[in-house]
């Protein structure tokens, strides 16, 4: 449509100059043609020639600027047609511009007005009455309007279908997550029932039997205790196996916590740096898993909320404690007087991190200032060795 408009405008200027050389109105025709071309070029800057989104989602100032621009274009074209009727066919691209820019009823009214000017201009140029000049412009206008309305309805149907597909995909993903969670819960309940619960039940029965026969048959009582001890050992092994199955996969195959933290990322737009301070010491599986989950949750918060470009992970071994610091250069936020963000302000990420630290008997410190980034520090105490 843009190419057709400028082609028709150039052809109209050339026709006028060839048919009316040296006329006094020639400078006005050239000036108005340049003005019309410049106004049309300015359309994208005000949203006038782009496919208009639904008006309920378009800001009112944009709609006002778009309609003002269209009014200036049409007014300039009308003056040109009055001075030189050969410019009438530039209205065809303006049909689609009006249909894209205005509501349906207003667009139809403007198309009708443009068609009337085209018919009047063609009749003025003709030397004799020609029915085609009276019927062809309305037919072209009607065809253009019908094609645009059909395409717009198809586009709306396609947008609705895409929205339905996206919503269905999200619902399906949520259903799959719920089903996966329920399946995992069922698996864990069956594992616990078939192993730990049975072992504990057997231990209870054996210890009760040992208590009843402790005075009358010490040998049998000690045998019951030894059997209960063996069952307890098997139960402990089963418990460790369950804990290992629930551990983060990043720590599988002997991968240390430092290597797992070094491999983390926060997306393509954020550079993540890792630093290790102090001499690494063996950590309980529970502590390693918690620290890895804390780092993953903090990086997710940085990616979603901070707008940061870089993030730094620092794992420090300080003898009696291990400290994980996560810092970013993002927008930051306002913290409470105690140095902790409220869950309502930051979603569910920080409460989950705080709960993990609390379960390990540690402390969580958050320092943040709007515009100056955030530093999150999780300190986990270590049991003395040796």
């Amino acid at each position: 449509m843009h190419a057709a408009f400028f082609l028709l405008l150039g052809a109209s200027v050339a026709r006028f100059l060839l048919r009316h050389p040296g006329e006094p109105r020639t400078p006005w025709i050239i000036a108005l043609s340049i003005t019309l071309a410049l106004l049309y070029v300015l359309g994208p800057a005000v949203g006038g020639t782009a496919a208009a989104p639904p008006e309920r989602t378009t800001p009112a100032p944009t709609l006002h600027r778009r309609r003002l621009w269209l009014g200036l274009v049409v007014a300039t074209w009308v003056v040109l047609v009055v001075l030189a009727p050969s410019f009438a066919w530039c209205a065809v691209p303006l049909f689609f511009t009006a249909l894209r820019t205005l509501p349906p009823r207003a667009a139809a009214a403007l198309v009708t007005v443009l068609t009337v000017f085209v018919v009047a201009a063609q009749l003025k140029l003709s030397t004799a009455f020609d029915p085609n000049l009276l019927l062809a412009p309305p037919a072209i206008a009607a065809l253009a309007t019908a094609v645009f309305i059909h395409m717009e309805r198809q586009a709306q149907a396609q947008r609705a279908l895409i929205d339905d597909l996206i919503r269905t995909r999200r619902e399906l993903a949520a259903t799959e997550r719920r089903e996966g969670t329920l399946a995992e819960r069922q698996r864990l309940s069956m594992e616990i029932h078939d192993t730990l619960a049975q072992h504990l039940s057997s231990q209870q029965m054996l210890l009760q039997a040992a208590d009843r026969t402790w005075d009358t048959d010490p040998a049998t009582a000690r045998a019951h205790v030894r059997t209960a001890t063996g069952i307890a050992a098997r139960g402990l092994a089963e418990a460790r196996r369950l804990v290992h199955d629930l551990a983060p996969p990043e720590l599988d195959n002997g991968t240390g916590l430092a290597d797992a933290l070094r491999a983390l990322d926060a997306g393509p737009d954020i550079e993540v740096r890792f630093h290790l301070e102090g001499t690494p010491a063996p950590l309980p599986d529970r502590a390693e898993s918690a620290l890895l989950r804390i780092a993953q949750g903090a990086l997710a918060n940085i990616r979603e909320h901070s707008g940061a470009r870089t993030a730094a992970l620092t794992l420090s071994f300080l003898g009696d404690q291990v400290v994980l610091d996560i810092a970013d250069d993002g927008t930051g936020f306002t913290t409470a007087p105690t140095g902790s963000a409220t869950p309502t302000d930051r979603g569910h990420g920080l409460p989950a991190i705080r709960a993990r630290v609390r379960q390990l008997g540690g402390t969580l410190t958050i320092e943040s200032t709007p515009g100056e980034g955030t530093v999150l520090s999780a300190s986990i105490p270590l049991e003395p060795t040796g």
Side-chain angles (χ1 to χ4, degrees):
M1 284 297 112
H2 301 332
F5 175 81
F6 287 107
L7 180 63
L8 291 172
L9 181 62
S12 300
V13 173
R15 184 181 186 278
F16 178 83
L17 295 177
L18 291 174
R19 295 288 183 89
H20 308 281
E23 283 202 8
R25 54 179 174 168
T26 298
W28 290 101
I29 297 298
I30 295 176
L32 287 171
S33 299
I34 295 174
T35 302
L36 181 59
L38 292 177
L39 285 173
Y40 197 88
V41 169
L42 290 176
V46 297
T49 62
E55 294 205 9
R56 64 177 181 274
T57 63
T58 303
T62 301
L63 286 174
H64 179 72
R65 291 195 302 269
R66 182 183 299 168
R67 292 167 183 173
L68 178 61
W69 166 84
L70 181 60
L72 292 174
V73 170
V74 172
T76 306
W77 173 83
V78 167
V79 175
L80 265 175
V81 172
V82 171
L83 294 177
S86 58
F87 285 84
W89 287 110
C90 293
V92 175
L94 295 181
F95 290 165
F96 290 95
T97 303
L99 290 168
R100 284 198 303 265
T101 305
L102 299 176
R105 291 184 178 179
L110 181 56
V111 168
T112 301
V113 172
L114 295 176
T115 305
V116 170
F117 271 89
V118 172
V119 171
Q122 295 305 305
L123 292 176
K124 184 177 180 180
L125 288 174
S126 65
T127 58
F129 178 76
D130 187 351
N132 287 332
L133 299 180
L134 186 62
L135 300 177
I140 294 175
L143 178 62
T145 304
V147 169
F148 179 86
I149 292 176
H150 178 69
M151 293 174 61
E152 184 64 20
R153 289 177 178 175
Q154 285 187 327
Q156 290 178 356
Q158 187 178 23
R159 287 193 293 267
L161 178 61
I162 291 174
D163 292 341
D164 289 340
L165 290 175
I166 292 175
R167 182 169 56 254
T168 302
R169 185 174 63 179
R170 290 175 179 172
E171 293 175 352
L172 180 60
T175 301
E176 290 178 348
R177 285 195 297 270
R178 288 194 297 269
E179 291 179 352
T181 302
L182 292 176
E184 183 64 12
R185 288 180 178 178
Q186 184 178 7
R187 185 187 71 83
L188 288 176
S189 65
M190 294 174 60
E191 290 274 357
I192 294 173
H193 177 269
D194 295 339
T195 57
L196 299 181
Q198 294 294 337
H199 291 160
L200 291 173
S201 178
S202 299
Q203 291 175 53
Q204 182 183 29
M205 294 175 59
L206 288 169
L207 292 176
Q208 289 175 348
D211 182 64
R212 289 194 299 269
T213 60
W214 192 264
D215 296 327
T216 58
D217 192 352
T220 302
R222 284 193 291 271
H224 289 329
V225 172
R226 287 193 295 271
T227 304
T229 302
I231 294 176
R234 291 195 296 273
L236 180 60
E238 289 289 345
R240 288 173 174 169
R241 182 184 64 81
L242 288 174
V243 171
H244 181 270
D245 290 343
L246 294 176
E250 294 85 352
L251 298 175
D252 286 346
N253 303 321
T255 302
L257 176 61
D259 293 334
L261 292 174
R262 187 177 288 109
L264 293 179
D265 64 19
D269 298 328
I270 302 177
E271 179 185 4
V272 179
R273 303 168 183 170
F274 174 74
H275 306 279
L276 178 63
E277 296 182 0
T279 302
L283 297 177
D285 294 342
R286 183 185 179 192
E288 285 191 342
S289 300
L291 288 173
L292 179 61
R293 295 305 190 200
I294 289 171
Q296 291 173 329
L299 290 179
N301 277 348
I302 292 173
R303 180 177 61 252
E304 296 175 5
H305 303 294
S306 72
R309 304 297 301 173
T310 60
L313 302 179
T314 303
L315 182 65
S316 305
F317 290 88
L318 305 178
D320 60 341
Q321 62 180 349
V322 59
V323 180
L324 176 63
D325 297 315
I326 302 102
D328 68 79
D329 59 354
T331 57
F333 58 96
T334 303
T335 59
T338 58
S340 61
T342 60
T344 56
D345 290 339
R346 302 294 291 177
H348 300 287
L350 289 177
I353 292 174
R354 188 176 293 108
R356 292 183 187 278
V357 174
R358 189 184 303 115
Q359 289 173 358
L360 295 175
T363 57
L364 179 68
T365 304
I366 302 173
E367 297 177 1
S368 183
T369 302
E372 298 182 7
T374 302
V375 177
L376 181 148
S377 180
S379 177
I380 307 298
L382 300 178
E383 296 181 0
T385 58

